[in-house]
């Protein structure tokens, strides 16, 4: 099997030949890892996915355009995404954590929301997307479209979490309008990736917290599950075999059956600090695969290389020869992770024998 075939078979639980690697690092750790590789001659195994570029906007808007919609100034380095959400930079250690400003937060009338300049995407894949997928396939790699923050997170970033949750309880027309506008865009993005030749889509919205779910099952099933299913169904109309990965940090056990029913193939990241992987696998392993399970709150920063290898081996032994687990860190590896632990993870994948 080439790398693409190996990963697809692993996710389909039809057997696999080797364990791929999947991880990301903070800039500080990436720099130290690069220095380690230069000094030792260490060669990192190839990563599991080739990420495809995003879709084109119908009407790109400048940073100054979005800045003009706010009534206050921002810290230097603040950027605005295509929904107009302002991201003020965090610390160097937590560079990917930003302070968000929500452009729809103070709107109280449906007419205000309707007048807002929501982004729209060109409903065809770009040449770069098609070329990216074709190039990945020529190299025997799995082409993946990144669509994390699919519906819920994008909507709450624009509206504000508290405001959107209040809408869901007391102003359903406002909640439905914002969620539908975001879902419409997500459908376009999913279809574009599928038409471009993506093997998989990485969807996701954080719906779990450390020890509890973020909302009731009733609210989830009313507002989010049908919209997630709509996105997945649209992609599968183009490519019935496209693999759907879904990311949510935190405790999401009560949602797993709903995610399966919505069409999710692979659940990421199954944080061991929040959920017991063996318990989850015994209950759902015949219906869904997994990506993650190596804790970035505990194991990766504070465990030993031997503990990392042991945990990876235990989790892979649990799922057996058919596969169903891409064993990897559950989130970005932050500065406190020792380089030796990164290498321990990579070597554990390289050396694992079923």
């Amino acid at each position: 099997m080439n790398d693409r075939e190996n990963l697809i078979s692993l996710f389909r639980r039809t057997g696999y030949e080797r364990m791929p690697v999947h991880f990301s690092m903070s800039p500080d750790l990436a720099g130290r890892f690069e220095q380690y590789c230069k000094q030792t001659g260490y060669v990192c195994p190839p990563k599991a996915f080739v990420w495809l570029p995003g879709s084109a906007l119908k009407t790109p808007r400048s940073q100054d355009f979005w800045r003009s919609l706010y009534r206050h100034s921002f810290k230097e380095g603040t950027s605005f995404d295509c929904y107009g959400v302002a991201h003020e930079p965090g610390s160097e250690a937590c560079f990917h954590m930003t302070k968000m400003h929500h452009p729809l937060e103070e709107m109280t009338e449906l007419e205000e929301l309707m007048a807002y300049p929501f982004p729209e995407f060109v409903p065809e894949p770009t040449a770069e997307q098609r070329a990216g997928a074709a190039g990945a396939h020529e190299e025997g790699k799995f082409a993946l479209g990144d669509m994390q923050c699919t519906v819920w997170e994008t909507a709450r970033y624009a509206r504000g979490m508290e405001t959107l949750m209040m809408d869901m309880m007391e102003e359903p027309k406002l909640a439905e309008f914002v969620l539908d506008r975001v879902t419409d865009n997500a459908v376009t993005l999913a279809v574009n990736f599928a038409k471009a030749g993506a093997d998989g889509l990485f969807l996701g919205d954080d719906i779990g917290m450390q020890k509890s779910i973020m909302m009731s099952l009733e609210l989830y099933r009313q507002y989010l599950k049908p919209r997630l299913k709509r996105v997945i169904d649209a992609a599968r109309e183009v490519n019935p075999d496209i693999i759907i990965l879904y990311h949510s940090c935190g405790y999401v056990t009560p949602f797993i059956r709903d995610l399966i029913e919505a069409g999710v193939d692979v659940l990421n990241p199954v944080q061991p600090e929040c959920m017991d992987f063996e318990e989850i696998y015994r209950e759902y392993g015949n219906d869904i695969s997994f990506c993650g399970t190596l804790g970035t709150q505990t194991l990766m920063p504070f465990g030993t290389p031997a503990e990392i290898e042991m945990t990876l081996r235990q989790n892979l032994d649990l799922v057996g020869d058919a596969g169903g687990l891409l064993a990897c860190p559950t989130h970005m590896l932050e500065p406190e992770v020792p380089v030796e632990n990164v290498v321990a993870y990579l070597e554990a994948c390289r050396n694992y024998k079923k």
Side-chain angles (χ1 to χ4, degrees):
M1 297 182 185
N2 63 28
D3 290 343
R4 175 175 177 257
E5 294 164 341
N6 182 68
L7 186 55
I8 290 173
S9 189
L10 183 152
F11 284 151
R12 295 295 188 203
R13 303 183 297 281
T14 54
Y16 69 105
E17 295 178 350
R18 56 197 172 277
M19 180 49 48
V21 304
H22 172 55
F23 69 109
S24 62
M25 298 181 283
S26 67
D28 173 83
L29 180 57
R32 287 188 283 123
F33 180 70
E34 182 180 2
Q35 188 64 26
Y36 171 88
C37 292
K38 288 180 179 177
Q39 291 175 347
T40 64
Y42 183 76
V43 178
C44 180
K47 292 187 177 181
F49 306 118
V50 172
W51 297 90
L52 299 181
S55 294
L57 284 163
K58 285 185 178 180
T59 307
R61 296 183 172 96
S62 69
Q63 297 287 291
D64 287 340
F65 172 87
W66 293 119
R67 191 183 303 273
S68 71
L69 299 185
Y70 290 86
R71 301 173 184 172
H72 53 85
S73 59
F74 296 96
K75 182 192 297 186
E76 183 178 353
T78 298
S79 63
F80 300 83
D81 65 25
C82 66
Y83 280 85
V85 178
H87 297 261
E88 283 195 304
S91 69
E92 184 177 348
C94 295
F95 77 102
H96 62 291
M97 299 294 184
T98 63
K99 179 181 179 181
M100 294 185 191
H101 299 262
H102 318 292
L104 310 182
E105 189 169 32
E106 297 180 5
M107 297 180 184
T108 59
E109 303 296 330
L110 181 59
E111 290 73 18
E112 293 178 276
L113 295 173
M114 294 175 67
Y116 186 76
F118 282 87
E120 292 183 72
F121 293 88
V122 176
E124 282 296 327
T126 65
E128 290 78 12
Q129 287 177 316
R130 293 185 187 276
H137 294 161
E138 287 176 8
E139 297 176 9
K141 303 294 185 182
F142 187 100
L144 186 62
D146 187 2
M147 288 182 54
Q148 296 177 70
C149 304
T150 310
V151 175
W152 166 240
E153 284 196 72
T154 296
R156 68 179 173 88
Y157 293 165
R159 182 73 168 141
M161 179 184 284
E162 182 177 333
T163 303
L164 184 54
M165 283 190 160
M166 291 299 294
D167 289 344
M168 292 161 71
M169 298 296 292
E170 298 186 352
E171 298 284 353
K173 289 185 178 179
L174 302 186
E176 288 168 357
F177 177 81
V178 174
L179 290 167
D180 282 342
R181 288 301 300 266
V182 172
T183 302
D184 290 345
N185 281 339
V187 166
T188 299
L189 297 176
V191 169
N192 284 353
F193 278 127
K195 287 182 176 179
D199 298 299
L201 297 179
F202 209 135
L203 310 183
D205 289 304
D206 285 345
I207 50 177
M209 298 186 289
Q210 191 74 6
K211 298 299 180 183
S212 67
I213 56 178
M214 193 175 288
M215 66 188 73
S216 69
L217 284 171
E218 291 75 17
L219 280 178
Y220 176 79
R221 288 167 180 164
Q222 178 182 351
Y223 285 104
L224 300 185
K225 180 180 177 180
R227 290 175 171 87
L228 174 64
K229 188 175 187 304
R230 183 182 159 214
V231 175
I232 294 172
D233 288 348
R236 290 219 163 107
E237 284 184 13
V238 178
N239 176 8
D241 296 324
I242 199 164
I243 292 176
I244 305 298
L245 295 85
Y246 183 92
H247 167 86
S248 175
C249 294
Y251 172 73
V252 298
T253 303
F255 293 124
I256 293 177
R257 183 56 58 188
D258 291 279
L259 293 171
I260 293 169
E261 291 172 359
V264 172
D265 297 305
V266 183
L267 177 63
N268 166 276
V270 193
Q271 288 179 250
E273 300 87 359
C274 307
M275 298 187 289
D276 183 280
F277 177 59
E278 182 172 356
E279 176 183 314
I280 296 296
Y281 177 74
R282 300 291 186 200
E283 180 70 20
Y284 301 105
N286 289 330
D287 302 315
I288 195 169
S289 294
F290 305 92
C291 171
T293 74
L294 304 183
T296 53
Q297 295 176 337
T298 51
L299 178 67
M300 292 305 299
F302 307 119
T304 66
E307 289 170 334
I308 291 168
E309 180 181 8
M310 178 185 68
T311 303
L312 180 139
R313 180 175 296 279
Q314 287 176 342
N315 291 348
L316 291 177
D317 285 350
L318 174 65
V319 304
D321 291 351
L325 171 63
L326 172 54
C328 61
T330 54
H331 214 287
M332 177 177 288
L333 299 176
E334 301 286 5
E336 60 267 23
V337 175
V339 169
E340 292 76 15
N341 283 4
V342 179
V343 176
Y345 158 66
L346 297 174
E347 288 304 292
C349 289
R350 197 197 305 266
N351 296 327
Y352 179 73
K353 304 296 181 186
K354 293 174 290 179

